[in-house]
Amino acid sequence: MRRPDGWWRIKSTPEKVETYTRWSFHFFGVSEIAGIGLATYGQTGLRLATLLSLLVVAHAAACMATAARALDWTLGRRAQPMRELWGLGALTAVLATVAIVLAEHGPAGDDVDTAALSVFTGVQAFGVGIMALGVHHRRRIVVVLVGGFAAGAGVVSCAVGVPWPAALVLACVLVAAGAFTAFIAVFSVWLLNAVYALDDAKETRARLAVAEERLRFGRDLHDVMGRNLAVIALKSELAVQLSRRGRPEAVEQMIEVQRIAQESQREVRDVVRGYREAALEVELAGARGVLQAAGIVSEVTGETAGLPAEVQAALGWVVREATTNVLRHGDAKKVAVTVRTAEGRVVLTVENDGVAEPTGDGPPAGSGGSGLAGLRERLSAVDGALEAGPVGKGVFRLTAEVPLPAAAGAALGVAS
């Protein structure tokens, strides 16, 4: 059964920031209802307070819906919500006009004026902030939005009978409030886009690191095979020409071709073996470079010098598979690798954070996939063992143990 916070833990960092941003703008609507709509019940009569509250609730609901669609447009998931933006702008203007008319021509009383003016300024401030989410050229259009609504508020206030000094004060208040909410909206969108861009850059760096490793393998293979294949081609052509002329030297040339081909096979096996059975220190250095390219902090402790080749080869595969799993799964920020020798065994531990909590929808975290199964088979060939699974909140640990041969253990000063 999924834990209540499981939906949050399975999200990546950009998705968490996006969720936080979305709910922040939804909270704008809740704040508008609680701070403006419901507050009118303590300032005026029940009937008028209910009317003003319903107007504010309708405006808050429109703001929430428009914010959701505007954020989708900002992230490139849908077309620009022009209909929603125009609708929110029209609704904001209408509600503000109704509120200022009630303030001037509604029931008498300072409390009524205060409640109506709160609605007048509040719906415009929140409306401008939400509309700023869904426009191009934000700096220029925010100025138009903020200045336009402030100027319109001043003109409408004068038209319904508000003295021009008071109308000017209202316009100035709307400039400040609208600029503040618009700044919050624009900054939030900029921050969200920056987080997604950084995450894309992180993935790109990891892919480039893998591509660089492939290019290195290709260069090594080309260096080994290029010259030998060229010689084989030339000697084969020479053997063909000699054979056509009935010369006995053709046999010698083909023997030489056979020798070079066998030598090429040996060199290719050496190259492949170098990648398959690299020294543990080489694998640790490669893992450190790949993790660093992916923006993950890595710490490596312990000594690897003097370990037998078969032990290094087995543990090198563990480091390679563990690094691959860290890059493919979870959202790790830090990886710690420890190598220690104790009681005649070499113990390699790889621990990383950023792992989602297990849910009832999949296998247990410690069961592993085909990669871990393959590691267990490789370690069993050298009488080793592998354990993998979560050890804390969001922490995953992989531990591999390989026994040392008696001679190697004595050389390292370890009792077998």
Side-chain angles (χ1 to χ4, degrees), residues 100 104-105 120 151-171:
I100 197 64
E104 283 299 308
H105 304 288
F120 176 74
V155 171
V156 172
S157 299
C158 290
V160 299
V162 177
W164 71 266
L168 181 61
V169 171
L170 285 175

Side-chain angles (χ1 to χ4, degrees), residues 38-415:
L38 298 182
T40 59
Y41 281 98
Q43 298 171 337
T44 183
L46 179 62
R47 182 176 299 179
L48 183 57
T50 302
L51 173 62
L52 292 175
S53 296
L54 291 176
L55 295 178
V56 172
V57 169
H59 186 264
C63 286
M64 292 180 184
T66 304
R69 287 163 175 77
L71 285 174
D72 287 340
W73 166 74
T74 299
L75 297 173
R77 298 172 185 169
R78 61 173 298 151
Q80 187 177 15
M82 295 302 300
R83 181 182 302 175
E84 289 83 355
L85 291 173
W86 281 107
L88 178 60
L91 180 61
T92 301
V94 170
L95 296 186
T97 302
V98 171
I100 197 64
V101 169
L102 287 175
E104 283 299 308
H105 304 288
D110 292 339
D111 290 342
V112 174
D113 293 344
T114 301
L117 289 176
S118 297
V119 174
F120 176 74
T121 55
V123 295
Q124 292 187 83
F126 283 107
V128 168
I130 297 300
M131 283 185 283
L133 290 172
V135 295
H136 289 291
H137 309 293
R138 287 190 172 89
R139 290 184 180 179
R140 180 170 45 187
I141 297 183
V142 163
V143 171
V144 175
L145 280 173
V146 174
F149 270 91
V155 171
V156 172
S157 299
C158 290
V160 299
V162 177
W164 71 266
L168 181 61
V169 171
L170 285 175
C172 292
V173 170
L174 283 174
V175 168
F180 177 73
T181 56
F183 170 79
I184 292 176
V186 172
F187 179 78
S188 298
V189 170
W190 174 83
L191 181 62
L192 180 60
N193 288 329
V195 171
Y196 268 108
L198 289 175
D199 188 67
D200 290 341
K202 175 182 173 181
E203 293 183 1
T204 301
R205 291 174 64 184
R207 288 195 297 267
L208 287 176
V210 174
E212 183 178 355
E213 182 68 13
R214 290 175 178 173
L215 288 175
R216 185 168 72 89
F217 181 82
R219 287 194 300 267
D220 292 349
L221 196 59
H222 177 269
D223 293 341
V224 169
M225 296 297 297
R227 178 183 60 83
N228 289 349
L229 289 177
V231 174
I232 288 174
L234 289 174
K235 287 188 172 292
S236 298
E237 184 178 356
L238 178 58
V240 170
Q241 297 297 330
L242 292 174
S243 178
R244 288 176 177 174
R245 298 175 185 177
R247 301 284 296 276
E249 291 87 347
V251 176
E252 297 179 0
Q253 295 296 326
M254 290 307 300
I255 293 175
E256 182 68 11
V257 168
Q258 182 182 22
R259 184 192 66 79
I260 296 174
Q262 292 173 346
E263 182 181 350
S264 299
Q265 286 180 323
R266 179 184 58 78
E267 291 179 348
V268 170
R269 283 195 296 268
D270 290 341
V271 171
V272 174
R273 187 180 300 112
Y275 280 86
R276 288 183 175 176
E277 300 179 0
L280 179 58
E281 183 63 31
V282 175
E283 288 297 326
L284 290 173
R288 188 184 296 111
V290 172
L291 292 173
Q292 182 179 0
I296 301 174
V297 178
S298 59
E299 295 182 358
V300 180
T301 57
E303 287 293 331
T304 61
L307 295 177
E310 63 272 16
V311 173
Q312 293 210 32
L315 295 181
W317 267 105
V318 175
V319 173
R320 188 178 300 183
E321 179 67 23
T323 304
T324 302
N325 288 339
V326 170
L327 293 175
R328 288 181 177 176
H329 311 295
D331 189 22
K333 300 294 185 299
K334 181 179 179 180
V335 177
V337 182
T338 304
V339 182
R340 59 186 178 88
T341 304
E343 299 180 354
R345 303 179 72 84
V346 181
V347 182
L348 171 71
T349 303
V350 182
E351 187 173 295
N352 65 278
D353 59 3
V355 178
E357 291 291 328
T359 68
D361 303 329
S367 63
S370 59
L372 295 182
L375 285 182
R376 290 189 173 94
E377 293 177 0
R378 291 179 180 276
L379 291 175
S380 64
V382 291
D383 296 328
L386 180 74
E387 294 182 0
V391 293
K393 193 172 184 180
V395 178
F396 189 88
R397 179 184 297 162
L398 185 147
T399 304
E401 295 186 6
V402 177
L404 281 170
L412 292 171
V414 179

